Structure formats: structure tokens, C-alpha cells
Amino acid sequence: MNTPYKPGTPCWIDLMVPDQQAALDFYRDLFGWQGEVGPPETGGYAVCTLKGKPVAGIMKAMNPDGTVPDPMPPTVWTTYLATDDIDGTVKSVTDAHGTIMMGPMDVMDLGRMSVIVDPTGAVVGLWQAGTFEGAGIVNEHGALIWNELSTPDVPAASAFYSAVLPVTTTPSEMPGAEGYIEFQVAGRTVGGMMDNATLPPGTPPHWQPYFSVDDVDDIQAAAVRAGGTVLAPAFDMAAGRMAVLADPQGGPFSVIAASTPEQPA
């Protein structure tokens, strides 16, 4: 990625886990990432890299005062959507019946962030870039290729995201993807959305990252050997071959060997 992410485009992901070093080790071995626990002034936040470019963040779950949360929050990946006016975007979130989990805050000179909850219950981050734009490499083995929202109310989610960011939603025209919705920015597909009625009962609304891999079956086997679990075994679908996995601390993610060119996530 050599240009800034357009507002509304997924631009970054990070993971909050009880055991940060174990997560760094798992994703290093699985995808070839490099990363280490960061300095105290950043709360130890680790920026993982691939080929020298940032691809994801991993942080230890902790309260703002540095204490260990009790109960521990679920281990999940957070997707961040780009905005060029985070204060204005956050104001529009409440106007559009979303809620604010974490209000806008400066992250040194890197940018400004916020975490919100859409009206259907899915948590998503917002990022206004300063010196840090977001993922520096996408659509290659071990890097982000797609971000997908699973929601119980597709029309409500479509209306919300279109109200708070310059995104539109449109039914996918990909053969075999009937009912699937695409998020578009300036006419370019940047992510997807599906009804979570097709998922196991009790699955909460969520955004999930997809990582590009050369061989889904090999990655699935490697994840299991490293203590991960398989949520949906490797299968062929409209966009390629994919699997849904969880890391040893329960963080779910998808991997895909895309059969058609996907847009940067």
C-alpha cells in the first residue's frame, strides 16, 4: 500500500489477548510475521510486520490503569475503518443509533482512534491516520486480504455504515455468492457483509479478518499443530478455498486462497 486508505476502507486490524507473547509466537510461526512486545509508553502494543511492512497489531488485554481485567474479555480481532475526521464520524455514529465504546483519542503522532458498536451489535474501530496509515502490505501470503461483517440485520447495518462513512452497499455479482453484500468506496469493493443466520446459533455480530494464504489446508494443519482450533474446515467457495480457524487463545480468523483477485482490505 503506497497511498492513504480512503475513508470507509478497512485499514488495520489488531488482536487483544491474555498472553501477548504466545500470540506473537503463534502468528509468527503461522504467517511469518515479525513482532515483539512494544515499549511501556504504548502499553506494550506490538506492531507485527511482514517483509518489513506493518500487517497487524497484537496487545495484552488490560484495563486502562494497567490492571488485569476480571473477567477477561473475549479474544477477538478488531477491524479499523479509515476516516479523515474521526470526531465528525463519531458524532454521526450516535446520530445513526450506534454507540461509542471508546471515544476519540490520540495515539502519539500515529493517528487518532475510536471503537464503536453498530446498531446490530458488532464492534469496529475507527482510525484517522497521522504518521501511520495502517496495513502496509495486503493480498499476499500472510497478509490481510478481506474484512467481513456478520450481522443479524443486514439492512440496518447497511444503513448505519452508509450514514457514518462514505461507503455504499451492493449485492455481490460473484457467481455462487447470492445474498452476499459488498461494501464499496468510490465504486471499489473493500469488504463484505453476510447474515449471521447461516452461522452456528449464538454467534454474535462481529467483524472478522481474512488472511491470504498459498495453501489453506497446510495452514489449517499448522494452526492445529500449534494449538489452534478449526471452526470451519477447509472448503471451496465462490472466491476460492477457505477455512475458519481460532488461535490457541480463542481468537477467530479466516484464511483464504483466493481464486479471483480481491481488493485490498
Side-chain angles (χ1 to χ4, degrees):
M1 296 299 296
N2 299 310
T3 58
Y5 286 90
K6 292 182 178 180
T9 306
C11 62
W12 187 242
I13 54 169
D14 61 23
L15 178 70
M16 186 166 65
V17 291
D19 189 334
Q20 185 184 24
Q21 188 60 56
L24 289 168
D25 294 344
F26 174 81
Y27 288 99
R28 176 200 63 208
D29 295 343
L30 195 66
F31 294 140
W33 295 355
Q34 298 299 310
E36 59 185 26
V37 177
E41 57 266 30
T42 65
Y45 192 95
V47 174
C48 299
T49 61
L50 182 67
K51 300 180 181 178
K53 301 289 186 180
V55 289
I58 296 178
M59 58 184 162
K60 180 178 177 61
M62 65 175 67
N63 293 317
D65 62 1
T67 58
V68 176
D70 184 18
M72 186 66 67
T75 299
V76 292
W77 282 99
T78 299
T79 290
Y80 290 80
L81 306 178
T83 176
D84 56 8
D85 177 11
I86 199 164
D87 294 282
T89 301
V90 167
K91 181 180 184 302
S92 66
V93 165
T94 54
D95 292 342
H97 309 296
T99 55
I100 311 303
M101 179 176 287
M102 180 186 297
M105 60 176 289
D106 293 325
V107 184
M108 299 182 293
D109 65 346
L110 300 175
R112 302 192 75 210
M113 66 165 287
S114 179
V115 180
I116 64 172
V117 185
D118 72 29
T120 76
V123 175
V124 67
L126 300 171
W127 180 253
Q128 180 180 338
T131 60
F132 183 77
E133 298 285 356
I137 182 171
V138 295
N139 298 1
E140 295 187 18
H141 176 81
L144 188 65
I145 190 172
W146 192 247
N147 297 76
E148 181 179 82
L149 170 64
S150 296
T151 173
D153 192 334
V154 169
S158 296
F160 172 78
Y161 289 99
S162 296
V164 302
L165 291 164
V167 301
T168 57
T169 55
T170 184
S172 176
E173 296 182 356
M174 183 181 296
E178 291 76 15
Y180 195 79
I181 302 297
E182 296 178 0
F183 285 105
Q184 296 188 343
V185 171
R188 184 168 177 268
T189 299
V190 297
M193 176 168 52
M194 61 180 287
D195 191 319
N196 71 354
T198 62
L199 301 178
T203 302
H206 65 280
W207 280 85
Q208 182 153 299
Y210 283 58
F211 298 104
S212 177
V213 297
D214 295 332
D215 189 313
V216 169
D217 298 82
D218 280 355
I219 289 291
Q220 176 177 291
V224 171
R225 288 195 300 271
T229 55
V230 178
L231 303 180
F235 63 97
D236 295 314
M237 41 80 80
R241 186 164 178 80
M242 67 168 286
V244 184
L245 309 173
D247 64 36
Q249 299 181 71
F253 62 95
S254 297
V255 293
I256 185 169
S259 59
T260 55
E262 298 293 349
Q263 303 297 335

